[in-house]
Amino acid sequence: MYGSAMPGNGLLETSPNYVINKAVAARFQQLPQPKDKVQVMYVWIDGTGQDLRAKSRTLDFIPTKPEGFRCTRKRK
């Protein structure tokens, strides 16, 4: 299911959203970046064991270790 939109198979490159998304990404990449903020990303293998998931977070300090910075919610 997710593999059909992966780069390299031609499907993503032929989508009209591909050009739009590149233009939007370029616009946001040109925004000024604050000097006192960093963005961290937490990456994990999902429940199927086959796909990656990720979340990012903006912090006002540079973390020195990964503990305590996971962007996850508590499980019930």
Side-chain angles (χ1 to χ4, degrees):
M1 177 174 152
Y2 294 108
S4 63
M6 296 298 291
N9 65 7
L11 294 177
L12 181 62
E13 290 85 354
T14 59
S15 167
N17 291 329
Y18 180 71
V19 175
I20 294 169
N21 290 341
K22 283 179 65 176
V24 170
R27 179 178 172 200
F28 282 103
Q29 288 171 346
Q30 293 173 2
L31 291 173
Q33 299 295 312
K35 300 286 184 203
D36 61 341
K37 305 284 183 196
V38 295
Q39 213 172 29
V40 295
M41 182 177 286
Y42 176 64
V43 180
W44 70 97
I45 300 170
D46 73 0
T48 68
Q50 297 179 358
D51 296 313
L52 293 178
R53 304 278 311 254
K55 288 189 177 186
S56 60
R57 210 173 173 184
T58 302
L59 303 174
D60 58 359
F61 60 94
I62 298 174
T64 57
K65 55 185 177 179
E67 290 82 15
F69 302 109
R70 293 185 357 179
C71 306
T72 60
R73 61 179 177 210
K74 292 183 179 180
R75 295 182 187 255
K76 294 180 180 181

